[in-house]
Amino acid sequence: KKRKDKTMPLESATAAILAHIAAEAGPELYDMAVTESREMYREMQPDLPEIVVYSVEDTTIEGPAGPIPVRIYRPSAAPAPVHVHFHGGGWVIGDLDTHDRDCREICLGADCIVVAVDYRLAPEHIFPAAPEDCYAALCWATANKGLLGGLPGPVSVGGDSAGGNLAAAVALMARDRNGPAIAMQLLIYPVIDATMESESYRDNADGYLLSRTMMAWFWDLYCPDVDLRADPLASPITAEDLSALPPALVMTAEFDPLRDEGEAYAQRLKAAGVEVEVRRFDGLVHGFFSQAGIIEAAREGVDLAVKALGKAHNRAS
């Protein structure tokens, strides 16, 4: 199938990575048992020098269905703002280790305490287990700011892909449940719409790391009841009212099936009077945020995110 002309070619390092993956021709994550795909996803993470932060602590917090593991990153001994972060991986794969580097980048770059949340995964725990765990983590981080060494003022939330979906869901939950104030929502190429019918889903269905088939697999495992996918906590774009939500930074990638739904959500937030910055990263694919150590163009995305978080925390304090 011939692809439409794109506004910009693939970024060169990204193109090389995709060519390498295509040449390997191994099994797809969705063709394996879930336990195997989780292991494969761990192995796929780039082997890069560690980003050293002041301290890292693994602990558990009380969740709606038992303890939730969290990892707490501190940039220094001094009090700092708090950011609650949800990892990507289609609600099925991904964990504290696969997104450890992202959290270290945010911790140092935004000079904030990061609470990374190991929410329950599908298919063992289907929707709405993940958003409920993430909301519990927001409430815990807010209530325990002092214990964490956090500064006064609201915490921020964020995540990539499925984690971006959960950050958007948590922002809706906090508003509708009279929950904690949120300084900002950092939505990195978020999953926003379960319908998978956008132009970017057609143009970028295959060959750009995240495929349409893989997203369908994730949705089937995470929310097997198709009707439930229209719930705003699964597909935030279905929320009738998007007013009174925290400021948002929405980052998308040109060659990503999720590009259009992220940008559509940003426009809906803007129309509802929410302060939004939206940035498309041309030439890049889904997952670029984690590649900032090897792809220079991706570094710009990390820089934008940490600057926005720093600004939001300063303003909210």
Side-chain angles (χ1 to χ4, degrees):
K1 184 176 93 173
K2 198 175 175 206
R3 290 208 179 90
K4 287 182 190 174
D5 286 342
K6 299 286 180 175
T7 53
M8 196 176 157
L10 271 171
E11 184 275 332
S12 57
T14 304
I17 290 167
L18 293 179
H20 176 71
I21 291 167
E24 297 254 297
E28 295 285 356
L29 292 174
Y30 50 77
D31 289 330
M32 307 178 188
V34 167
T35 49
E36 290 175 4
S37 59
R38 286 173 185 156
E39 190 51 48
M40 171 74 87
Y41 185 59
R42 280 184 210 109
E43 287 170 11
M44 283 164 61
Q45 301 313 307
D47 187 19
L48 295 165
E50 186 175 83
I51 297 165
V52 180
V53 300
Y54 176 74
S55 73
V56 181
E57 175 195 351
D58 283 352
T59 186
T60 58
I61 63 171
E62 201 44 55
I68 303 168
V70 297
R71 183 171 291 169
I72 301 162
Y73 302 80
R74 291 184 177 85
S76 70
V82 178
H83 172 73
V84 183
H85 203 73
F86 314 121
H87 67 78
W91 315 278
V92 174
I93 57 179
D95 54 33
L96 296 177
D97 291 335
T98 59
H99 286 66
D100 178 74
R101 190 178 179 85
D102 291 8
C103 293
R104 289 168 183 266
E105 291 267 24
I106 291 167
C107 173
L108 282 190
D111 193 28
C112 64
I113 296 161
V114 176
V115 178
V117 184
D118 207 5
Y119 55 86
R120 286 171 289 163
L121 296 178
E124 297 91 339
H125 306 281
I126 59 173
F127 173 81
E132 291 294 350
D133 280 2
C134 293
Y135 182 67
L138 165 71
C139 294
W140 177 85
T142 301
N144 291 280
K145 267 198 297 267
L147 181 77
L148 286 165
L151 287 168
V155 309
S156 57
V157 297
D160 68 297
S161 195
N165 166 278
L166 293 168
V170 162
L172 288 165
M173 294 162 91
R175 181 197 66 180
D176 296 343
R177 298 179 183 185
N178 297 315
I182 295 172
M184 78 165 272
Q185 39 182 336
L186 170 63
L187 309 181
I188 305 166
Y189 32 80
V191 185
I192 291 295
D193 183 354
T195 59
M196 303 196 297
E197 285 172 358
S198 65
E199 194 177 319
S200 60
Y201 254 107
R202 291 191 292 276
D203 289 355
N204 306 317
D206 217 8
Y208 297 115
L209 219 53
L210 178 66
S211 66
R212 193 179 197 286
T213 309
M214 192 181 295
M215 273 311 302
W217 182 67
F218 285 145
W219 274 115
D220 287 344
L221 293 176
Y222 175 57
C223 195
D225 180 343
V226 176
D227 292 339
L228 257 187
R229 295 180 196 175
D231 186 310
L233 300 188
S235 296
I237 201 152
T238 64
E240 279 180 37
D241 177 17
L242 292 176
S243 65
L245 287 169
L249 168 60
V250 182
M251 295 162 56
T252 65
E254 181 185 11
F255 296 92
D256 182 356
L258 304 181
R259 180 194 71 211
D260 291 354
E261 65 200 65
E263 292 172 7
Y265 192 60
Q267 294 312 317
R268 283 227 30 224
L269 287 169
K270 269 185 193 170
V274 177
E275 189 185 325
V276 182
E277 182 178 0
V278 58
R279 174 81 71 84
R280 178 190 293 188
F281 287 82
D282 287 328
L284 296 183
V285 299
H286 191 84
F288 72 78
F289 195 88
S290 301
Q291 309 279 340
I294 43 177
I295 297 172
E296 206 176 314
R299 170 59 49 196
E300 194 187 330
V302 173
D303 290 347
L304 179 70
V306 298
K307 192 174 167 188
L309 284 170
K311 190 173 145 193
H313 286 144
N314 284 338
R315 195 170 52 182
S317 61

PDB file of all heavy atoms in Angstrom, residues 13-29:
ATOM      1  N   ALA A  13      17.660   9.480  12.666  1.00  0.00           N
ATOM      2  CA  ALA A  13      17.941   8.444  13.666  1.00  0.00           C
ATOM      3  C   ALA A  13      16.715   7.546  13.869  1.00  0.00           C
ATOM      4  O   ALA A  13      16.838   6.332  14.043  1.00  0.00           O
ATOM      5  CB  ALA A  13      18.360   9.074  14.991  1.00  0.00           C
ATOM      6  N   THR A  14      15.537   8.152  13.805  1.00  0.00           N
ATOM      7  CA  THR A  14      14.288   7.392  13.931  1.00  0.00           C
ATOM      8  C   THR A  14      14.147   6.425  12.759  1.00  0.00           C
ATOM      9  O   THR A  14      13.779   5.256  12.947  1.00  0.00           O
ATOM     10  CB  THR A  14      13.080   8.354  13.966  1.00  0.00           C
ATOM     11  OG1 THR A  14      13.263   9.291  15.027  1.00  0.00           O
ATOM     12  CG2 THR A  14      11.774   7.610  14.157  1.00  0.00           C
ATOM     13  N   ALA A  15      14.421   6.921  11.556  1.00  0.00           N
ATOM     14  CA  ALA A  15      14.344   6.073  10.362  1.00  0.00           C
ATOM     15  C   ALA A  15      15.281   4.873  10.488  1.00  0.00           C
ATOM     16  O   ALA A  15      14.916   3.736  10.129  1.00  0.00           O
ATOM     17  CB  ALA A  15      14.680   6.891   9.121  1.00  0.00           C
ATOM     18  N   ALA A  16      16.480   5.110  11.031  1.00  0.00           N
ATOM     19  CA  ALA A  16      17.458   4.021  11.213  1.00  0.00           C
ATOM     20  C   ALA A  16      16.954   2.989  12.220  1.00  0.00           C
ATOM     21  O   ALA A  16      17.098   1.774  12.005  1.00  0.00           O
ATOM     22  CB  ALA A  16      18.795   4.599  11.665  1.00  0.00           C
ATOM     23  N   ILE A  17      16.340   3.465  13.295  1.00  0.00           N
ATOM     24  CA  ILE A  17      15.795   2.548  14.318  1.00  0.00           C
ATOM     25  C   ILE A  17      14.673   1.706  13.719  1.00  0.00           C
ATOM     26  O   ILE A  17      14.619   0.487  13.909  1.00  0.00           O
ATOM     27  CB  ILE A  17      15.290   3.343  15.550  1.00  0.00           C
ATOM     28  CG1 ILE A  17      16.475   3.942  16.319  1.00  0.00           C
ATOM     29  CG2 ILE A  17      14.456   2.449  16.476  1.00  0.00           C
ATOM     30  CD1 ILE A  17      16.095   4.985  17.351  1.00  0.00           C
ATOM     31  N   LEU A  18      13.777   2.343  12.958  1.00  0.00           N
ATOM     32  CA  LEU A  18      12.655   1.615  12.338  1.00  0.00           C
ATOM     33  C   LEU A  18      13.166   0.586  11.329  1.00  0.00           C
ATOM     34  O   LEU A  18      12.634  -0.530  11.246  1.00  0.00           O
ATOM     35  CB  LEU A  18      11.680   2.591  11.669  1.00  0.00           C
ATOM     36  CG  LEU A  18      10.897   3.521  12.605  1.00  0.00           C
ATOM     37  CD1 LEU A  18      10.000   4.451  11.803  1.00  0.00           C
ATOM     38  CD2 LEU A  18      10.066   2.735  13.617  1.00  0.00           C
ATOM     39  N   ALA A  19      14.198   0.953  10.572  1.00  0.00           N
ATOM     40  CA  ALA A  19      14.783   0.027   9.586  1.00  0.00           C
ATOM     41  C   ALA A  19      15.396  -1.178  10.297  1.00  0.00           C
ATOM     42  O   ALA A  19      15.248  -2.325   9.850  1.00  0.00           O
ATOM     43  CB  ALA A  19      15.840   0.745   8.749  1.00  0.00           C
ATOM     44  N   HIS A  20      16.047  -0.919  11.423  1.00  0.00           N
ATOM     45  CA  HIS A  20      16.663  -1.996  12.208  1.00  0.00           C
ATOM     46  C   HIS A  20      15.585  -2.956  12.736  1.00  0.00           C
ATOM     47  O   HIS A  20      15.723  -4.176  12.660  1.00  0.00           O
ATOM     48  CB  HIS A  20      17.455  -1.390  13.367  1.00  0.00           C
ATOM     49  CG  HIS A  20      18.049  -2.415  14.295  1.00  0.00           C
ATOM     50  ND1 HIS A  20      19.111  -3.214  13.922  1.00  0.00           N
ATOM     51  CD2 HIS A  20      17.710  -2.774  15.565  1.00  0.00           C
ATOM     52  CE1 HIS A  20      19.399  -4.036  14.926  1.00  0.00           C
ATOM     53  NE2 HIS A  20      18.572  -3.782  15.930  1.00  0.00           N
ATOM     54  N   ILE A  21      14.492  -2.379  13.257  1.00  0.00           N
ATOM     55  CA  ILE A  21      13.386  -3.199  13.780  1.00  0.00           C
ATOM     56  C   ILE A  21      12.777  -4.036  12.659  1.00  0.00           C
ATOM     57  O   ILE A  21      12.515  -5.236  12.831  1.00  0.00           O
ATOM     58  CB  ILE A  21      12.307  -2.301  14.447  1.00  0.00           C
ATOM     59  CG1 ILE A  21      12.860  -1.685  15.743  1.00  0.00           C
ATOM     60  CG2 ILE A  21      11.032  -3.099  14.753  1.00  0.00           C
ATOM     61  CD1 ILE A  21      12.016  -0.567  16.317  1.00  0.00           C
ATOM     62  N   ALA A  22      12.569  -3.412  11.488  1.00  0.00           N
ATOM     63  CA  ALA A  22      11.976  -4.124  10.343  1.00  0.00           C
ATOM     64  C   ALA A  22      12.878  -5.282   9.897  1.00  0.00           C
ATOM     65  O   ALA A  22      12.396  -6.368   9.545  1.00  0.00           O
ATOM     66  CB  ALA A  22      11.746  -3.157   9.187  1.00  0.00           C
ATOM     67  N   ALA A  23      14.191  -5.063   9.941  1.00  0.00           N
ATOM     68  CA  ALA A  23      15.142  -6.092   9.512  1.00  0.00           C
ATOM     69  C   ALA A  23      15.193  -7.268  10.491  1.00  0.00           C
ATOM     70  O   ALA A  23      15.437  -8.408  10.092  1.00  0.00           O
ATOM     71  CB  ALA A  23      16.531  -5.484   9.370  1.00  0.00           C
ATOM     72  N   GLU A  24      14.950  -6.990  11.764  1.00  0.00           N
ATOM     73  CA  GLU A  24      14.975  -8.052  12.783  1.00  0.00           C
ATOM     74  C   GLU A  24      13.835  -9.052  12.567  1.00  0.00           C
ATOM     75  O   GLU A  24      13.989 -10.240  12.825  1.00  0.00           O
ATOM     76  CB  GLU A  24      14.842  -7.439  14.188  1.00  0.00           C
ATOM     77  CG  GLU A  24      15.994  -6.525  14.549  1.00  0.00           C
ATOM     78  CD  GLU A  24      16.939  -7.152  15.550  1.00  0.00           C
ATOM     79  OE1 GLU A  24      16.514  -7.437  16.674  1.00  0.00           O
ATOM     80  OE2 GLU A  24      18.110  -7.346  15.183  1.00  0.00           O
ATOM     81  N   ALA A  25      12.682  -8.526  12.140  1.00  0.00           N
ATOM     82  CA  ALA A  25      11.516  -9.355  11.798  1.00  0.00           C
ATOM     83  C   ALA A  25      11.159 -10.378  12.880  1.00  0.00           C
ATOM     84  O   ALA A  25      10.894 -11.535  12.597  1.00  0.00           O
ATOM     85  CB  ALA A  25      11.744 -10.059  10.466  1.00  0.00           C
ATOM     86  N   GLY A  26      11.179  -9.943  14.126  1.00  0.00           N
ATOM     87  CA  GLY A  26      10.760 -10.822  15.221  1.00  0.00           C
ATOM     88  C   GLY A  26       9.245 -10.812  15.368  1.00  0.00           C
ATOM     89  O   GLY A  26       8.551 -10.101  14.633  1.00  0.00           O
ATOM     90  N   PRO A  27       8.719 -11.601  16.295  1.00  0.00           N
ATOM     91  CA  PRO A  27       7.270 -11.608  16.501  1.00  0.00           C
ATOM     92  C   PRO A  27       6.788 -10.269  17.060  1.00  0.00           C
ATOM     93  O   PRO A  27       7.539  -9.559  17.735  1.00  0.00           O
ATOM     94  CB  PRO A  27       7.058 -12.729  17.523  1.00  0.00           C
ATOM     95  CG  PRO A  27       8.371 -12.881  18.213  1.00  0.00           C
ATOM     96  CD  PRO A  27       9.423 -12.503  17.217  1.00  0.00           C
ATOM     97  N   GLU A  28       5.556  -9.916  16.762  1.00  0.00           N
ATOM     98  CA  GLU A  28       4.964  -8.678  17.292  1.00  0.00           C
ATOM     99  C   GLU A  28       4.526  -8.919  18.747  1.00  0.00           C
ATOM    100  O   GLU A  28       4.199 -10.042  19.127  1.00  0.00           O
ATOM    101  CB  GLU A  28       3.745  -8.273  16.449  1.00  0.00           C
ATOM    102  CG  GLU A  28       4.080  -7.899  15.016  1.00  0.00           C
ATOM    103  CD  GLU A  28       4.742  -6.529  14.890  1.00  0.00           C
ATOM    104  OE1 GLU A  28       4.878  -5.833  15.920  1.00  0.00           O
ATOM    105  OE2 GLU A  28       5.110  -6.170  13.769  1.00  0.00           O
ATOM    106  N   LEU A  29       4.489  -7.846  19.515  1.00  0.00           N
ATOM    107  CA  LEU A  29       4.070  -7.958  20.918  1.00  0.00           C
ATOM    108  C   LEU A  29       2.682  -8.587  21.037  1.00  0.00           C
ATOM    109  O   LEU A  29       2.419  -9.374  21.946  1.00  0.00           O
ATOM    110  CB  LEU A  29       4.080  -6.581  21.588  1.00  0.00           C
ATOM    111  CG  LEU A  29       5.442  -5.923  21.794  1.00  0.00           C
ATOM    112  CD1 LEU A  29       5.270  -4.514  22.334  1.00  0.00           C
ATOM    113  CD2 LEU A  29       6.319  -6.737  22.746  1.00  0.00           C
TER     114      LEU A  29
END
